[in-house]
Amino acid sequence: MKNKRYFLFRLFLAAVFTFMFVNIFAHEINEFNAKVRTLISDGQFSRRQFTDDGLPLQFSPKVGPYRSPFYVVHYGLGYSEACKEKANNENAYHWLTDKTSVFWPTSPFEPSLNLFKNSADWVVENIEEDTQGNSHLMYHFDWPYKNYPNGILMAPWWSGLTDGHAITLMLRAWDCFGEKKYLDAAESLYLSTVKPVSEGGSLLHHNGHPWIEEYVDPRASEHEMSRVFNGMAYAYFGIKGYEEFHDIDGYSEALRTSI
């Protein structure tokens, strides 16, 4: 009986340590798993590559090769650091240093004005209007995601995270290059991001507070949408930056209460 209790105790400890290990290293395990599946399906271990113009290309065994608008924005913001001092506006909200950036993947390229402009121009050229006249960086590939119809986001879908985060990129591009197309893009993305999901935007509510939805599939009901926290937070940064830039009272203070 004593040996049995000892065995069960050891089994319990093993289960606890396994649980802790899986949770602590969940992201790394998922990344490695995805890389192995990518190697098997595509013959390469890397999940992300870059073209010579600094734009990322992703590979997924679930989707195949694709370009994520979010990562174009993400790496574009990294490249924009080359222009921070030149912009002479580094104290503006849209130029504040993102302290979480150390946890995000980095580009093999150093920050540069050329790569920054490539990213910003890609955003401008790839903004599309939906059937209700809203502007989005559309995702033209299906993406498996729970709680959505049939467990999948069906193309075309959009992301309040991506559209909101891209506002920051557009404001920085305006500071650095002075081309009106960037301000126009920032405005169109802002207006669409703060419009209700029911009207083709990305705004809904969570526990009575306004919330920017990261994954918007028009087929899904609002109460089933994901409400991912980091998606809301990064969208907020873009909205706050836009409203400060134009000195307007808008949605940022209400959204801040949700973060």
Side-chain angles (χ1 to χ4, degrees):
M1 180 64 68
K2 183 178 180 181
N3 288 339
K4 184 177 180 180
R5 285 200 301 267
Y6 181 65
F7 172 76
L8 291 174
F9 178 70
R10 292 180 61 185
L11 186 64
F12 171 76
L13 287 179
V16 169
F17 282 117
T18 300
F19 177 80
M20 291 174 60
F21 178 84
V22 169
N23 277 274
I24 293 172
F25 297 102
H27 174 72
E28 288 80 1
I29 292 171
N30 286 336
E31 282 284 304
F32 180 76
N33 181 42
K35 287 181 178 181
V36 170
R37 287 184 285 119
T38 300
L39 177 65
I40 294 172
S41 61
D42 293 296
Q44 57 186 6
F45 195 66
S46 175
R47 295 183 63 199
R48 189 169 296 115
Q49 296 183 341
F50 291 81
T51 54
D52 291 340
D53 53 6
L55 299 178
L57 285 171
Q58 278 95 311
F59 298 87
S60 166
K62 297 178 181 178
V63 176
Y66 66 97
R67 172 163 285 154
S68 168
F70 170 79
Y71 278 104
V72 174
V73 174
H74 167 72
Y75 292 113
L77 289 169
Y79 300 143
S80 74
E81 291 295 317
C83 187
K84 191 168 186 176
E85 293 184 7
K86 175 181 178 293
N88 196 30
N89 197 20
E90 58 185 277
N91 292 323
Y93 192 88
H94 58 275
W95 280 106
L96 293 183
T97 299
D98 176 10
K99 295 182 180 180
T100 70
S101 61
V102 295
F103 301 105
W104 287 90
T106 57
S107 167
F109 298 105
E110 293 295 321
S112 80
L113 290 178
N114 185 48
L115 297 182
F116 173 30
K117 197 170 193 310
N118 289 342
S119 301
D121 287 347
W122 186 94
V123 168
V124 172
E125 293 163 6
N126 285 274
I127 291 176
E128 302 175 51
E129 284 195 356
D130 64 17
T131 57
Q132 295 173 281
N134 302 296
S135 297
H136 300 292
L137 289 166
M138 293 291 189
Y139 285 73
H140 288 287
F141 51 84
D142 298 340
W143 189 258
Y145 208 86
K146 63 180 181 179
N147 295 336
Y148 289 75
N150 299 318
I152 192 169
L153 288 157
M154 189 72 70
W157 54 277
W158 67 87
S159 166
L161 159 63
T162 303
D163 291 346
H165 210 27
I167 295 170
T168 301
L169 184 70
M170 294 295 95
L171 293 177
R172 291 187 180 188
W174 162 256
D175 285 347
C176 291
F177 308 115
E179 297 180 39
K180 188 174 180 294
K181 63 182 181 180
Y182 301 123
L183 276 187
D184 292 341
E187 179 182 23
S188 66
L189 290 170
Y190 170 81
L191 293 174
S192 296
T193 302
V194 298
K195 185 173 287 189
V197 166
S198 60
E199 298 175 21
S202 300
L203 179 68
L204 41 74
H205 286 80
H206 180 59
N207 293 331
H209 297 285
W211 191 273
I212 303 300
E213 174 55 47
E214 179 172 348
Y215 300 102
V216 185
D217 184 335
R219 303 173 307 143
S221 62
E222 291 186 23
H223 74 275
E224 293 180 332
M225 291 187 180
S226 60
R227 291 167 174 78
V228 177
F229 176 77
N230 75 320
M232 163 63 178
Y234 282 96
Y236 164 81
F237 296 154
I239 291 168
K240 171 69 173 176
Y242 182 88
E243 292 179 353
E244 184 195 81
F245 181 86
H246 286 284
D247 192 24
I248 58 175
D249 293 325
Y251 295 85
S252 58
E253 282 306 304
L255 291 169
R256 186 174 61 84
T257 65
S258 303
I259 298 179

